[in-house]
Amino acid sequence: MIRRPIVAVIGNAKATPAQCALAEELGRLLVEHGCRVLTGGLGGVMEAASRGARRASNRSDGDVIGILPGDDAAFANEFVDIAIPSGMGFARNVLIVRTAAAVIAVGGGAGTLSEIAHAWQADRIIVVLPAEGISGEFGGRALDDRPRPPILKALSARSAVELVIESLGARHSG
Amino acid sequence: MIRRPIVAVIGNAKATPAQCALAEELGRLLVEHGCRVLTGGLGGVMEAASRGARRASNRSDGDVIGILPGDDAAFANEFVDIAIPSGMGFARNVLIVRTAAAVIAVGGGAGTLSEIAHAWQADRIIVVLPAEGISGEFGGRALDDRPRPPILKALSARSAVELVIESLGARHSG
Amino acid sequence: MIRRPIVAVIGNAKATPAQCALAEELGRLLVEHGCRVLTGGLGGVMEAASRGARRASNRSDGDVIGILPGDDAAFANEFVDIAIPSGMGFARNVLIVRTAAAVIAVGGGAGTLSEIAHAWQADRIIVVLPAEGISGEFGGRALDDRPRPPILKALSARSAVELVIESLGARHSG
Amino acid sequence: MIRRPIVAVIGNAKATPAQCALAEELGRLLVEHGCRVLTGGLGGVMEAASRGARRASNRSDGDVIGILPGDDAAFANEFVDIAIPSGMGFARNVLIVRTAAAVIAVGGGAGTLSEIAHAWQADRIIVVLPAEGISGEFGGRALDDRPRPPILKALSARSAVELVIESLGARHSG
């Protein structure tokens, strides 16, 4: 693929400091590994991942994308370079999943769960991290009998990003 | 509410005979209790629920709605009275949830899970039945800390429909 | 087609008495000719067409469908039997066009124009009536070089409905 | 606005050499004026505008965005840096309009007309150029009685981009 891969970091708009720290590190490492970072463009985990991406040593303008539920780009957090105000409410979760080659979940609730489910439907790479919230429950399991590798589980931001990079490589050479 | 409630029956396009029997009974009972039946318009659980709705003693034309992923109404199963070909792929799951006052899940996989998650986001009544598939795991639990009653669990089609009718009544008098 | 055809009546939420009278007659005649009536579910032309459909001599529950921009069915006008709250803003115009076998425009502005354009993309039958607003300008013309009959022009509600019925028949025998 | 403005170039997938030349110049000039370029991500005018953007002297990775109708990013033209595969068919036209601060039309047919109409609904800056196709007809006119300046008309790529830049400035100081 000539285009840089886009990786989504998903999780709650209301996040704990631990979740935010994890998301920020994910954002930074993803950009440092050559990926763009995609989120839902709002606060909490989304903002932390966007902020982290901005702080990557090799960061360039255009690395941080937010696909928003509302129709006003002004609601994107300040670290988003490219705001896509979908105006579709939580149907924007589907757009996030379709746009991402991989999704990494940090905690989260029903919205994050919907994204994991859609990512499974769309055959995206899925990695979950141990964090307060529902997504962690799904590490290592399959959602149905579609021929997919199970949802991946990482214990740190670094290993999550490495898993994504490795899986992307395997898919493109596969 | 003057409009008849719309209740979605969700589950796999490839379904077991037991799942289909359950879905068919759900469809029939929902119409007999005054509801319209909504599905994703395709086969398996969707078709069985639609067929059941058609077989209700008081059935009238317009009781069975299908919101399809593709953009061609011709792909709706033969029991759908009103086909909405969304052309949005699995983003149509969001439309199903928004249109329904309640969703009843019969087994299913990632698609069904996405619908349960979106239904939780949208504060819809959710009932799951014991059937092969992922949805049954969610009976009695919450997906996050939104102030919601837990996902309801029923042991038969009849009790699922009764739970829905009761919950709809409670919401409207509440 | 075994399913009854769905015909959309499109036009402004703020409509003149003449536009409303026309839309109401369209709604009534469409149901009397065996069609379901679809609108955007709100006021003005949408409400008038829905009211007309309800007043058809052979009207039955389920004949009037509204696909709303917002995510709350409570905003549908009182004559809508089946409310689809898309939550997608004016992207719901696309859903209206995809769901309808034909669209009839009564005046209207940019929203109506978008629906005519999408209906042309989707190869739907399009009829415009002489009424204040933009749609009337498009009678008899093509929007691009796609192999389509030109947009049809009718001088009365009755002839618009007859054109639709005739065109639907020609398509299905063609 | 801290974010760089996103400007959409809209027009046909099948375009004449003259339309492509115009679109390519638009793409280049937009980036040279500090904007990102957004298109529908496919061929013809979309590809030419994307190619032009890539050839801007100050071009950086992330300047060229494509929002595709299908769900596979592989269908984006080779000049797109960031592909958003919406999977929503021509409903993606709404996403293009919502994401753009301004749209510039080069000829086009029904799809382009739908984008102009949605852009009017969303109060975006709209500029049309003289080129074979429907959009040129709308220069200098209003689509309805919403309080909007009329659709702008430019005679060259350069003046189109200058009009956009000037209008963006006026909106942000206004």
Side-chain angles (χ1 to χ4, degrees), chain A residues 91-104:
Chain A
R92 74 83 147 79
N93 296 7
V94 175
L95 294 174
I96 290 174
V97 164
R98 286 189 176 135
T99 299
V103 304
I104 305 177

Side-chain angles (χ1 to χ4, degrees), chain B residues 6-22:
Chain B
I6 298 174
V7 178
V9 179
I10 61 177
N12 273 353
K14 288 180 190 169
T16 65
Q19 289 171 332
C20 288
L22 204 48

Side-chain angles (χ1 to χ4, degrees), chain A residues 22 25-26 28-29 32-33 129 154-165:
Chain A
L22 205 48
E25 196 183 353
L26 284 168
R28 184 176 59 75
L29 290 170
E32 290 179 357
H33 281 75
L129 280 156
L155 295 178
S156 69
R158 181 160 300 275
S159 65
V161 173
E162 285 168 357
L163 265 175
V164 162
I165 298 299

Side-chain angles (χ1 to χ4, degrees), chain B residues 2-4 6 36 61-62 65 71 73 76-78 80-88 95 98-99 124, chain C residues 2-4 6 36 61-62 65 67 71 73 76-78 80-88 95 98-99 124:
Chain B
I2 31 170
R3 257 168 237 126
R4 289 167 54 197
I6 298 174
R36 291 184 210 280
D61 181 36
I65 307 166
D71 59 7
N77 71 61
E78 62 180 305
V80 169
D81 296 324
I82 296 171
I84 316 273
S86 74
M88 294 168 55
L95 294 175
R98 286 189 175 134
T99 300
R124 297 304 190 258
Chain C
I2 31 169
R3 257 166 236 127
R4 288 168 54 197
I6 298 175
R36 291 184 210 279
D61 182 35
I65 308 165
I67 303 184
D71 60 8
N77 72 62
E78 62 179 305
V80 169
D81 296 324
I82 296 171
I84 317 274
S86 74
M88 295 169 54
L95 294 175
R98 286 189 175 134
T99 300
R124 297 302 191 258

Side-chain angles (χ1 to χ4, degrees), chain C:
Chain C
M1 189 160 63
I2 31 169
R3 257 166 236 127
R4 288 168 54 197
I6 298 175
V7 178
V9 179
I10 60 177
N12 273 354
K14 288 180 189 168
T16 64
Q19 288 171 332
C20 288
L22 205 47
E24 184 166 339
E25 196 183 352
L26 284 168
R28 183 176 59 76
L29 290 170
L30 284 167
V31 173
E32 291 181 356
H33 281 77
C35 302
R36 291 184 210 279
V37 171
L38 170 64
T39 74
L42 301 177
V45 160
M46 300 174 262
E47 182 167 347
S50 304
R51 186 173 54 234
R54 279 271 182 113
R55 290 183 179 167
S57 53
N58 60 332
R59 182 257 168 184
S60 68
D61 182 35
D63 288 355
V64 189
I65 308 165
I67 303 184
L68 301 158
D71 60 8
D72 187 345
F75 286 92
N77 72 62
E78 62 179 305
F79 306 107
V80 169
D81 296 324
I82 296 171
I84 317 274
S86 74
M88 295 169 54
F90 51 71
R92 72 85 145 78
N93 296 6
V94 174
L95 294 175
I96 290 174
V97 163
R98 286 189 175 134
T99 300
V103 303
I104 305 177
V106 178
T112 305
L113 180 58
S114 77
E115 290 166 320
I116 290 175
H118 288 306
W120 184 269
Q121 291 184 284
D123 198 15
R124 297 302 191 258
I125 296 159
I126 310 171
V127 181
V128 300
L129 280 157
E132 207 183 325
I134 203 167
S135 62
E137 298 176 27
F138 291 86
R141 71 168 288 186
L143 299 186
D144 53 33
D145 56 8
R146 283 176 172 99
R148 303 257 189 285
I151 293 175
L152 300 168
K153 198 174 176 169
L155 296 177
S156 69
R158 181 161 300 276
S159 64
V161 173
E162 285 168 357
L163 266 175
V164 163
I165 298 298
E166 198 178 295
S167 303
L168 287 171
R171 291 204 173 195
H172 291 124
S173 64

Side-chain angles (χ1 to χ4, degrees), chain D:
Chain D
M1 189 163 60
I2 31 170
R3 258 167 234 127
R4 289 168 54 199
I6 298 174
V7 178
V9 179
I10 60 177
N12 272 354
K14 289 180 189 167
T16 65
Q19 289 171 332
C20 287
L22 205 47
E24 184 166 338
E25 196 183 353
L26 284 168
R28 183 177 57 77
L29 290 170
L30 284 167
V31 172
E32 290 180 356
H33 281 76
C35 301
R36 289 183 211 280
V37 171
L38 169 64
T39 73
L42 301 177
V45 161
M46 301 174 262
E47 182 168 345
S50 304
R51 187 174 52 235
R54 280 269 183 114
R55 292 183 178 169
S57 53
N58 60 334
R59 182 257 168 184
S60 69
D61 181 36
D63 288 356
V64 190
I65 309 165
I67 303 185
L68 302 158
D71 59 8
D72 187 345
F75 286 92
N77 71 63
E78 61 179 306
F79 307 106
V80 169
D81 296 324
I82 296 171
I84 316 272
S86 74
M88 294 168 55
F90 51 72
R92 73 85 145 78
N93 296 7
V94 174
L95 294 174
I96 290 174
V97 164
R98 285 189 175 134
T99 300
V103 302
I104 305 178
V106 178
T112 305
L113 180 58
S114 77
E115 289 166 320
I116 290 175
H118 289 306
W120 183 269
Q121 291 185 283
D123 198 14
R124 298 303 192 257
I125 297 159
I126 309 170
V127 181
V128 301
L129 280 157
E132 206 182 326
I134 203 166
S135 62
E137 299 175 26
F138 291 86
R141 70 168 289 186
L143 298 186
D144 53 33
D145 57 8
R146 284 174 171 100
R148 305 257 188 284
I151 292 175
L152 299 168
K153 198 174 176 168
L155 295 178
S156 68
R158 181 160 299 277
S159 65
V161 172
E162 284 168 357
L163 266 174
V164 163
I165 298 299
E166 196 179 296
S167 302
L168 287 170
R171 290 202 174 197
H172 292 124
S173 64

Side-chain angles (χ1 to χ4, degrees), chain A residues 20 22 29 34 49 54 70 79 84 87 90 99 103-105 131 134 144 148 150 157 163 170 173:
Chain A
C20 288
L22 205 48
L29 290 170
R54 280 268 183 116
F79 307 107
I84 316 272
F90 51 71
T99 299
V103 304
I104 305 177
I134 202 167
D144 53 34
R148 304 257 188 283
L163 265 175
S173 63

